[in-house]
Amino acid sequence: MPTYSYACKQCGHRFDAVQSFSDAALTECPECGGEVRKQYGSIGVTFNGSGFYRTDSRGGSTASTGGGSGGSSTSSKSETKTSAPSSAS
């Protein structure tokens, strides 16, 4: 269940409450009985792995260089395979 932060508008008391998504928001301060409001903060989300950064999805020089070297490796292997049977014949 999520934890929500609240702050009292009258006394300034801050507190956290663990509530279900279906529970209604709190309206009364436990210290003075005044009106409270829900506090919103940043969410701690971390994106790990490839595909989450702008440079991961682009076909920049790094990606084309990697593809080019892979292509030349493949053609070298093909040439080696082709050369081996011809020299044996």
Side-chain angles (χ1 to χ4, degrees):
M1 288 204 294
T3 302
Y4 297 101
S5 297
Y6 290 92
C8 180
K9 292 181 180 181
Q10 292 179 359
C11 70
H13 175 68
R14 293 176 179 259
F15 61 97
D16 295 334
V18 178
Q19 296 177 294
S20 174
F21 288 111
S22 59
D23 291 346
L26 299 178
T27 56
E28 188 176 307
C29 176
E31 297 287 319
C32 70
E35 188 178 356
V36 296
R37 61 186 178 98
K38 195 180 280 189
Q39 300 288 300
Y40 296 98
S42 63
I43 300 172
V45 176
T46 304
F47 296 104
N48 294 326
S50 63
F52 292 107
Y53 298 97
R54 185 171 68 170
T55 56
D56 287 344
S57 63
R58 291 186 174 181
S61 61
T62 311
S64 62
T65 305
S69 65
S72 62
S73 298
T74 307
S75 53
S76 298
K77 290 177 184 176
S78 302
E79 291 172 11
T80 306
K81 289 178 183 178
T82 307
S83 300
S86 348
S87 61
S89 300

